[in-house]
């Protein structure tokens, strides 16, 4: 149960870190450009009316849940294989 909880938690942390990695790649690895992009997004989000904010948050939620689902599906076969080996007592 602890291994499964750790697997799910690490998958969700990867999904939450993926947008940061995406924006860091867009900025070419420059932290000042990264924070400038994030500030621009924050200003536009705060300037938008409530309906647009809710719509944007809904899209972000769908993207993050989808990304987490893809990550879990990608990592699941290896996790199950390792768990099966560990439960059967095999050495790696």
């Amino acid at each position: 149960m602890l291994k499964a909880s750790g697997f799910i938690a690490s998958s969700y942390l990867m999904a939450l870190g993926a947008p940061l990695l995406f924006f860091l790649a867009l900025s070419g690895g420059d932290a000042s450009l990264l924070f400038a992009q994030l500030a621009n997004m924050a200003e536009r989000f705060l300037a938008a009316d409530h309906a647009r904010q809710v719509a944007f948050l809904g899209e972000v939620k769908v993207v993050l849940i989808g990304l987490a689902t893809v990550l879990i599906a990608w990592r699941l076969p290896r996790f199950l294989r390792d768990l099966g080996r560990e439960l059967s007592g095999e050495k790696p």
Side-chain angles (χ1 to χ4, degrees):
M1 187 62 110
L2 287 175
K3 273 187 110 38
S5 298
F7 171 75
I8 294 293
S10 65
S11 296
Y12 279 115
L13 286 174
M14 283 184 218
L16 290 174
L20 178 63
L21 182 64
F22 173 73
F23 285 115
L24 191 60
L26 278 180
S27 67
D30 187 8
S32 63
L33 288 175
L34 170 70
F35 287 115
Q37 287 176 352
L38 292 177
N40 183 27
M41 282 184 58
E43 288 172 10
R44 289 180 181 266
F45 179 79
L46 293 175
D49 61 347
H50 182 67
R52 292 186 79 153
Q53 287 179 350
V54 170
F56 177 75
L57 291 176
E59 290 175 8
V60 168
K61 185 181 358 176
V62 167
V63 167
L64 286 177
I65 290 172
L67 184 59
T69 303
V70 168
L71 278 168
I72 289 171
W74 180 53
R75 295 179 66 211
L76 190 60
R78 181 175 177 189
F79 171 73
L80 292 176
R81 185 177 59 244
D82 291 347
L83 186 64
R85 274 192 214 135
E86 195 171 303
L87 290 176
S88 68
E90 291 180 30
K91 293 186 177 183

